[in-house]
Amino acid sequence: MYDETMDFGTDVSGMDDTTALAACGADWDVVLLPAAAVFPDGTTLVVPGHRFVVAGGSPVGQVGSRYHPVQNVELLGFARECADRLGSTVARAGVTQGNGRFWCWVPVGEAGLVFSTAHHGRGAVCVQLAVPGGGGLVRLGPESESTLSFPHGPTLQARLDDPAEVAGWANGRVLAAAAELDRLSRLVVEPVRLGEVLEGVVPAGRAKSELQLSNRHAVMDAVAGRWVSFSGGGRDARSLLCAVAWYLDRGRRASVADRVDQSVDDSGWVTRAKFVAHAVLS
C-alpha cells in the first residue's frame, strides 16, 4: 500500500564487516595529508592547522585541527552495536558524494535509522530516524528531535564507545513514529492542500515564468497520481507523504546517485522538503 521498499545502496544483511564494506565499495580508509602550497620555484609552504582529506584515493575536503576521521569500519561497528541493542541488524550500506559520505541502514519497527559519517568534515556521525515509504524515505518531524549529531571534538570517541545513548533515543523516536503513522493513516487530506505540502519541493513563490509554472503543475500532477495509487483513492496523509518521498527519491529527474545522496543527507534540500511536508500535516 505504501511501498515500504528500502533498496538504497547494497544489501549487507548477514555479512561480516570486511565483506560488507567490500560489497558496497567502502573498503578503504580516510587519510589526512598536510595542506600545503607549492610555489613556482618549488618551495613548499605547509599551512598550519589545515589538512586535506583523502577518502578511498579521492580528495573530498579540507579540514581543521579538530577533525578526526571516523573510518567506515568504525561507523559500521557502531551501527551494529546500536542495532544489537534494538534487536535489529545493519541491512544496507553505501557510499555517496564521491566517497565523501558513508552510510548504513538499520530497520527498527515501522521505521529505521540512517547512520552516516561525512568525510569532508561537516560532521562526525549523524543518526537519523526515517520511515520507508514510496520506495524512498519519509521524514517525520519535529526535525530537531529526529536526528542525533555527534560533532568532532574531545567527546566523540566516548560517545561512539557507548551505544546506549542512541538505543535509548531510538526506542523513544520509533514509538513516537508508530503513533504518528497511525494518526496520519487516519487523517484524510483535501486535494486543495497539495500545494502546501509541496511547498518545500516546488515553492509557489518561485514559479513565475511559464516554464516554472508548468514544472510546478507537472510535479503536483505526478505526486497526486501516486497519492491516489498509494491510498487506494482514500487520500490519507501517510499516503501523501509516501507520494512526496516517491517523487523526491524516485521520480524526479536526477541520477540515482544524486537521489540516494540527497535522501540520506541529514541537512540536504530533499530532507528539508520532506520535513516541510510533514509539518503541514501535523
Side-chain angles (χ1 to χ4, degrees):
M1 181 177 182
Y2 300 116
D3 189 5
E4 296 160 299
T5 304
M6 170 51 181
D7 61 0
F8 295 164
T10 301
D11 184 351
V12 296
S13 302
M15 298 181 184
D16 60 31
D17 288 359
T18 300
T19 306
L21 291 173
C24 68
D27 52 342
W28 38 261
D29 288 335
V30 177
V31 178
L32 300 180
L33 299 178
V38 180
F39 294 95
D41 64 358
T43 304
T44 301
L45 174 65
V46 176
V47 182
H50 292 270
R51 294 170 292 177
F52 288 118
V53 184
V54 178
S58 301
V60 296
Q62 182 180 330
V63 296
S65 57
R66 283 172 56 87
Y67 174 82
H68 172 75
V70 176
Q71 302 293 350
N72 298 341
V73 68
E74 291 181 276
L75 182 77
L76 181 58
F78 179 61
R80 287 195 193 281
E81 290 182 3
C82 294
D84 286 345
R85 287 176 176 256
L86 295 165
S88 185
T89 186
V90 176
R92 307 194 71 85
V95 175
T96 64
Q97 294 187 350
N99 293 349
R101 175 186 287 114
F102 171 66
W103 64 270
C104 47
W105 169 255
V106 174
V108 186
E110 291 185 86
L113 303 175
V114 178
F115 290 77
S116 64
T117 181
H119 296 315
H120 44 62
R122 193 180 68 193
V125 171
C126 183
V127 187
Q128 312 160 60
L129 178 87
V131 176
L137 295 178
V138 172
R139 300 291 183 155
L140 302 177
E143 184 174 357
S144 61
E145 297 177 12
S146 298
T147 303
L148 273 185
S149 296
F150 296 4
H152 292 283
T155 65
L156 174 59
Q157 191 57 53
R159 297 182 77 179
L160 293 178
D161 289 339
D162 182 15
E165 177 185 2
V166 170
W169 167 83
N171 276 322
R173 292 309 305 160
V174 169
L175 287 174
E180 178 62 358
L181 290 172
D182 179 64
R183 183 190 74 85
L184 291 167
S185 67
R186 291 182 285 106
L187 175 65
V188 177
V189 183
E190 294 297 325
V192 71
R193 300 196 66 195
L194 181 58
E196 292 178 71
V197 173
L198 288 174
E199 186 61 23
V201 182
V202 280
R206 296 182 185 176
K208 297 178 180 179
S209 70
E210 196 168 310
L211 179 60
Q212 289 170 329
L213 286 169
S214 175
N215 178 63
R216 176 176 165 79
H217 291 151
V219 172
M220 292 178 66
D221 287 346
V223 172
R226 288 286 170 160
W227 181 19
V228 171
S229 175
F230 290 148
S231 67
R235 297 188 184 278
D236 65 279
R238 181 173 178 178
S239 295
L240 177 51
L241 293 181
C242 288
V244 173
W246 165 82
Y247 173 75
L248 291 170
D249 294 347
R250 298 285 185 179
R252 67 185 176 90
R253 285 182 294 180
S255 67
V256 172
D258 176 71
R259 289 198 294 262
V260 173
D261 178 51
Q262 287 291 337
S263 188
V264 301
D265 188 346
D266 60 297
S267 60
W269 76 270
V270 163
T271 297
R272 293 196 302 271
K274 292 175 181 177
F275 278 125
V276 168
H278 177 244
V280 170
L281 300 172
S282 297

